[in-house]
Amino acid sequence: EDLASTVRDRLADLLAEGTTTVEAKSGYGLSFDDELKQLRALRRAAEDQPVTVVPTFLGAHEVPDEYRSDRAGYIELLVQELIPAVAAERLARFCDVFCDRGVYTVDEARTILLAGAARTAVAVPPPPVMLACTHSAKLPSSTLVTSAMSPRP
């Protein structure tokens, strides 16, 4: 509840400055439980706020230390467990990946984003201009976007 309270305070500050819509991303927990905790806190914080909060799942913000030697294992966790859990609870409207040199490659980002799209996540490709030239603009945005991050009936 402390996290939700902190988010509420920040939303109030943003509203005071005239902001009415905010995209808020997870991605700093880098574990199954922490990613869901962040997105649930966003939901609770946004419930009675005049600011529209657009939650984005960014579990692929970084490769956690414990997966440095098993990148494929973390990508599998994202694809097989985290994205389906986020979708099942409808915790996010979008799925994003930090595609840049030293983080996720274009191929890894494509795998994660397509998994999000397959689970009816609205998968957002990384912006084509990041910190390094990674050719992320090659990600097929038209094949990644679907209706919403929620389970299909």
Side-chain angles (χ1 to χ4, degrees):
E1 188 55 40
D2 287 342
L3 184 55
S5 178
T6 299
V7 172
R8 279 187 207 98
D9 291 345
R10 291 194 177 149
L11 290 174
D13 291 344
L14 290 166
L15 183 63
E17 295 295 326
T19 302
T20 59
T21 302
V22 174
E23 180 189 20
K25 298 184 180 192
S26 69
Y28 295 91
L30 298 176
S31 73
F32 185 91
D33 291 336
D34 287 341
E35 290 297 315
L36 295 180
K37 176 183 172 183
Q38 290 172 13
L39 291 168
R40 289 174 183 143
L42 283 173
R43 175 185 281 166
R44 283 193 311 276
E47 284 175 347
D48 297 320
Q49 298 295 312
V51 176
T52 299
V53 177
V54 180
T56 296
F57 172 65
L58 183 56
H61 173 252
E62 178 62 84
V63 178
D65 289 340
E66 62 270 25
Y67 284 96
R68 293 277 179 200
S69 62
D70 184 19
R71 295 173 66 84
Y74 187 64
I75 292 169
E76 183 175 335
L77 175 72
L78 290 169
V79 168
Q80 299 297 323
E81 296 181 38
L82 259 167
I83 290 172
V86 170
E89 290 188 48
R90 298 177 185 228
L91 291 172
R93 288 188 50 201
F94 300 103
C95 178
D96 201 355
V97 176
F98 186 34
C99 181
D100 198 7
R101 191 168 292 132
V103 191
Y104 290 93
T105 67
V106 171
D107 288 339
E108 291 169 335
R110 181 181 295 112
T111 297
I112 295 163
L113 293 171
L114 287 172
R119 302 240 177 3
T120 70
V122 178
V124 178
V129 178
M130 294 298 284
L131 302 176
C133 180
T134 60
H135 305 285
S136 60
K138 294 179 182 178
L139 288 169
S141 60
S142 62
T143 64
L144 298 176
V145 178
T146 61
S147 60
M149 191 155 190
S150 59
R152 287 196 171 142

